[in-house]
Amino acid sequence: MNVRKVLFSACLLLLASTTVYAETLKIGLNYPQTGRYKDQGLQQRLGAFLAVDEINKAGGVMGRQLELVIRNTRGDPAQGAKNTAELIDREGVQMVFGGVSSAVAIASGKAARDRNRIYFGTLTYSNATTGAEGHSYMFREPYNAWMTAKALSQYLTTNHAEDDYFYITADYTWGWSVEESVRKFSGTEDTDRHQGVKTPFPGHITDFREALEQAEASNAKVLMMVLFGDDMVRALNVAYEMGLTKKMQIVVPNLTLGMARQVGPTIMEGVIGGSPWVWNVPYELNYPRGKEFVEAFSARYEMRPSTAAASAYSIVYQYKDAVERTGTTNTASLIRALEGHRYTFLKDEQYWREFDHQNVQTVYVVKVKPRNTIIADEYSSDYFSIIDSMPGDQAAQTREEWEERRREAGKPLQL
C-alpha cells in the first residue's frame, strides 16, 4: 500500500513539474484597434501573430509556447498606460510592445518601467521616446524623427534646395519632433519664408482644408505634411481635390503602406516619404529573411506587410533571441543582452544602441510609383520606389547630440 502511495505521489510531482515547464510565456501587445491609427495597429497585430505562430511551431522559447495577450489603446496615452499595468499585473506578461502614437508609447513605457518590464516601441517616431523621455526599460525598434529628417533632407536639399516649403503639422509630440528635425536638416528654419501651421490631433476635414488653403496661398513648392494615419489620408484627399498634388511636391515624412493603400494609387502617385522598411526592400537588395517574411505574411493574410507589421514581427523575434541568449526572462538580464546587440533580420545589419536603446538602422527615402505599376502587383501594393537611403550611424543622433537634448529636458545623461 505504501509503495502505491509513493508511486502516486511521484506521478503527481511529475505532472506538476510538466505543467510548470509547459506554462506559456506571455507577452503583451498594446495597440490601437480603434481610432485614427487603427490600420497601423492592425498591421502590428498581424505581424505579431505571425511571429508567435512561427515560433511556437518551431518549439517555442526555451520549450515554452508564446502566448500573445492584446489590449486596445484607442490611441489614448492614459489608456495605453492602464493597459500596460493590467497586462503586467493581471495577465503576468513578461514583455509589452506596441503603440502608434508616440504619446501612447511614452506613457505605456513608463508604466512598464514602474513594473520592471521592458517595453518595445513598435511605431513611435518622436525623438522624445528614446531621447528626453527615454529610460532603460524602453527600446525603440523603428527609426526616430531625427533619422527620418536627416535622410529625407539629404534627398530634398539635392532636388529642392531653392524651393519654399510649407509645413502642415499634427499638434503633438511626434509632429513637433518631425517638423523641428526636418527644418533643421533641410535648412528651412526661417519660418517667414518657409511657413507652416499646426492642426489639432485628431484633426477634422475643416482643419485640413483651412491649412491647405494657407499652403496654396503661400506659393510654396514643397508641401511637408507632418500627419499620420487617418489624418494624413483625409488631408491628402483634400489636397488632391484642390489640385495641390499637381502644383506642389507632397512630402509625408513617415510614409506607410497602409496609409498609401487607404488613399489609393491615383492620389498617392509621386508622393515622397521616409520609411525604415518597405516590403520590396528585401527583393531589391536581396535580404533572404526579409523575403521569407513578406511571402509568409502575404500568403497568410492576402496582403503585403507594412513597416508596422515588420516592426512587430521583428520585436517578437528579438525578444525570443534575447531570452535564449540569456537563458532567462529576467528583465535586467534581457536589458544587458539587448544593449549593443547587432543582428541581421529583415534587412541589413541593425543594432540596439547601448546609451539610448534606439535601434540604429538604414533609413529609406521612397517615392510612390505610377498607378499602373502599383496595381500590377498581385496584391495591388507595389507602391514604393527606393530613391535614396542613409546608413543608420549617419542618420542617428550622436551621443553628444543626445546628451544635449537630455540636458535641455533636465534629465540625467544616462538611462
Side-chain angles (χ1 to χ4, degrees):
M1 193 68 176
N2 287 340
V3 173
R4 288 180 182 175
K5 284 183 178 179
V6 169
L7 289 173
F8 181 70
S9 297
C11 287
L12 287 177
L13 285 170
L14 180 61
L15 183 61
S17 65
T18 303
T19 302
V20 171
Y21 184 75
E23 182 185 1
T24 60
L25 174 55
K26 292 183 178 181
I27 57 176
L29 176 59
N30 195 28
Y31 74 103
Q33 298 173 28
T34 54
R36 296 292 174 92
Y37 294 161
K38 61 183 179 298
D39 182 80
Q40 291 72 36
L42 173 63
Q43 284 284 316
Q44 289 183 35
R45 175 174 175 158
L46 298 180
F49 270 110
L50 176 60
V52 167
D53 285 352
E54 288 178 352
I55 289 167
N56 285 342
K57 285 177 184 175
V61 179
M62 291 179 20
R64 296 171 67 181
Q65 294 283 285
L66 280 178
E67 181 180 346
L68 187 64
V69 186
I70 62 174
R71 289 291 186 275
N72 179 14
T73 67
R74 304 197 301 265
D76 177 63
Q79 186 64 49
K82 181 181 177 183
N83 289 350
T84 301
E86 184 178 297
L87 284 164
I88 297 168
D89 295 341
R90 295 187 190 176
E91 300 289 349
V93 304
Q94 295 300 307
M95 174 274 281
V96 187
F97 64 117
V100 176
S101 158
S102 291
V104 171
I106 289 169
S108 301
K110 289 177 179 177
R113 175 197 62 193
D114 294 343
R115 290 160 177 80
N116 191 34
R117 293 289 186 276
I118 290 174
Y119 194 99
F120 285 96
T122 310
L123 197 65
T124 167
Y125 297 143
S126 170
N127 291 329
T129 305
T130 48
E133 298 295 338
H135 51 84
S136 59
Y137 295 84
M138 170 64 80
F139 287 80
R140 187 211 312 255
E141 197 282 334
Y143 61 16
N144 63 9
W146 182 285
M147 297 168 73
T148 315
K150 213 164 182 186
L152 262 179
S153 297
Q154 174 179 266
Y155 174 84
L156 292 170
T157 51
T158 301
N159 295 276
H160 297 278
E162 304 304 318
D163 294 338
D164 292 348
Y165 289 42
F166 191 93
Y167 289 80
I168 298 176
T169 301
D171 195 9
Y172 79 103
T173 180
W174 166 76
W176 308 330
S177 278
V178 174
E179 180 177 342
E180 178 191 20
S181 298
V182 174
R183 283 188 182 275
K184 175 182 175 69
F185 294 118
S186 63
T188 57
E189 291 175 298
D190 180 352
T191 55
D192 290 328
R193 178 182 172 186
H194 306 287
Q195 299 170 35
V197 62
K198 300 289 193 295
T199 56
F201 175 76
H204 301 284
I205 290 292
T206 52
D207 299 318
F208 301 133
R209 189 173 296 280
E210 288 172 8
L212 288 162
E213 286 170 354
Q214 292 182 53
E216 184 174 30
S218 75
N219 292 316
K221 297 297 182 185
V222 176
L223 177 55
M224 191 70 59
M225 297 181 67
V226 190
L227 304 169
F228 199 71
D230 288 357
D231 281 357
M232 190 284 288
V233 172
R234 295 177 186 194
L236 198 49
N237 273 284
V238 175
Y240 179 77
E241 291 169 12
M242 294 173 62
L244 297 185
T245 56
K246 298 192 186 311
K247 296 178 183 177
M248 310 172 80
Q249 174 58 65
I250 308 291
V251 182
V252 177
N254 298 116
L255 194 53
T256 72
L257 178 59
M259 287 154 54
R261 281 191 298 230
Q262 284 178 272
V263 176
T266 300
I267 298 175
M268 284 299 301
E269 184 172 340
V271 172
I272 289 170
S275 182
W277 188 88
V278 290
W279 72 263
N280 48 306
V281 160
Y283 295 91
E284 295 189 25
L285 302 177
N286 193 29
Y287 301 132
R289 186 63 181 84
K291 293 181 195 176
E292 289 177 15
F293 164 63
V294 173
E295 287 161 17
F297 188 99
S298 301
R300 177 166 175 161
Y301 301 119
E302 298 186 339
M303 68 172 77
R304 299 297 189 193
S306 77
T307 182
S311 181
Y313 182 86
S314 298
I315 285 166
V316 176
Y317 271 98
Q318 274 295 287
Y319 179 71
K320 170 185 182 292
D321 177 72
V323 170
E324 292 178 339
R325 283 190 291 115
T326 58
T328 180
T329 58
N330 175 268
T331 297
S333 299
L334 295 178
I335 290 172
R336 288 193 297 271
L338 287 164
E339 289 178 335
H341 178 62
R342 292 177 179 266
Y343 64 99
T344 302
F345 194 50
L346 303 185
K347 53 194 280 191
D348 52 348
E349 187 180 69
Q350 303 172 232
Y351 67 96
W352 301 100
R353 196 159 60 174
E354 187 172 3
F355 70 81
D356 63 351
H357 296 179
Q358 172 62 50
N359 192 292
V360 178
Q361 58 184 288
T362 299
V363 180
Y364 302 99
V365 180
V366 297
K367 186 172 185 176
V368 178
K369 296 177 180 180
R371 181 180 184 279
N372 289 343
T373 303
I374 294 168
I375 63 176
D377 173 56
E378 182 180 0
Y379 301 101
S380 299
S381 292
D382 190 9
Y383 273 88
F384 303 123
S385 293
I386 301 163
I387 57 174
D388 204 356
S389 64
M390 182 177 283
D393 283 319
Q394 184 181 339
Q397 287 173 306
T398 64
R399 177 70 183 258
E400 291 72 26
E401 288 165 336
W402 181 81
E403 287 183 355
E404 182 181 348
R405 293 303 177 96
R406 297 283 287 188
R407 285 191 192 95
E408 290 171 0
K411 298 294 178 68
L413 303 185
Q414 66 283 323
L415 297 180

